[in-house]
Amino acid sequence: DPNVPAILVRWYMSQGDMDAAQAFLKARAEGDTREVEDIVTYIRFLAEAQDPETALAELEHILDGDPPEVKRLTALRASFRFDLGEPDAAIAEMEELLDGMEPSDERRSIMVMLAKMLDTTGNNVGARALVEEVLEEDGSQPEALKMRAGWLIESDRTDEAIVALRSVLGSAP
């Protein structure tokens, strides 16, 4: 049952045993049969339970070991760097990561992450261009549609925003 690990972590946390929860998640992230989701869950746990710097350091350590789906984890690292006050370096890392990637769900997801960074730093034109490119490739990409809906609301085009958000609900309830 894929829900058992999450239940166990919640139980550890309800008991106030953060060390056991962390040890369990770390063992899953470092195991022989690890999945990228195990790594992401462990890193996000560290960011929330301790601090983003600790999570970033652990992610750097994991990236040194040639993990599965290295591009997704590299994008996660860039996201942490962005949140820790290194926006230029994070954006450059995301752009470098996207160079040469073939169109895929992973690439589109990374493009949306980059668009969010650009939007946050005030580069709305770059963000909108990336979102439009994503939606040209996949018109049902939820995060891109949510960003577009936000911009439509800002432009007082709420009817179009509602249509976009309804399509998000249809594809990712």
Side-chain angles (χ1 to χ4, degrees):
D1 183 357
N3 295 321
V4 171
I7 293 169
L8 180 59
V9 169
R10 281 194 298 272
W11 182 81
Y12 281 137
M13 292 174 66
S14 73
Q15 301 299 307
D17 196 350
M18 298 298 270
D19 292 338
Q22 180 176 336
F24 174 74
L25 291 172
K26 183 174 184 170
R28 289 180 59 89
E30 293 179 346
D32 292 336
T33 60
R34 68 184 172 183
E35 297 287 327
V36 73
E37 288 304 322
D38 295 330
I39 297 169
V40 171
T41 301
Y42 173 54
I43 296 301
R44 289 193 173 140
F45 174 84
L46 286 177
E48 291 179 22
Q50 293 185 19
D51 56 68
E53 292 86 0
T54 302
L56 180 59
E58 186 66 18
L59 184 55
E60 292 283 355
H61 172 73
I62 290 170
L63 281 167
D64 288 340
D66 192 30
E69 294 191 45
V70 69
K71 291 183 181 196
R72 182 170 173 200
L73 296 175
T74 301
L76 180 62
R77 177 180 61 193
S79 177
F80 274 113
R81 291 176 71 193
F82 185 85
D83 292 341
L84 290 171
E86 301 177 37
D88 294 335
I91 290 170
E93 185 171 24
M94 293 291 274
E95 289 171 341
E96 181 181 321
L97 184 60
L98 287 169
D99 282 345
M101 278 184 79
E102 295 295 319
S104 66
D105 288 340
E106 180 182 43
R107 181 175 183 269
R108 287 185 287 276
S109 178
I110 292 170
M111 289 172 72
V112 171
M113 289 174 68
L114 177 57
K116 288 178 182 179
M117 289 179 184
L118 293 174
D119 194 43
T120 300
T121 59
N123 184 350
N124 299 61
V125 173
R128 288 174 191 249
L130 281 172
V131 166
E132 290 306 318
E133 184 178 342
V134 167
L135 291 173
E136 282 179 28
E137 291 178 18
D138 178 4
S140 65
Q141 210 286 348
E143 293 301 315
L145 283 169
K146 288 193 293 187
M147 287 186 75
R148 177 190 271 172
W151 293 324
L152 289 169
I153 290 168
E154 288 174 4
S155 301
D156 202 28
R157 296 167 50 193
T158 54
D159 290 343
E160 293 175 58
I162 289 170
V163 170
L165 291 172
R166 282 189 178 148
S167 65
V168 170
L169 283 173
S171 64

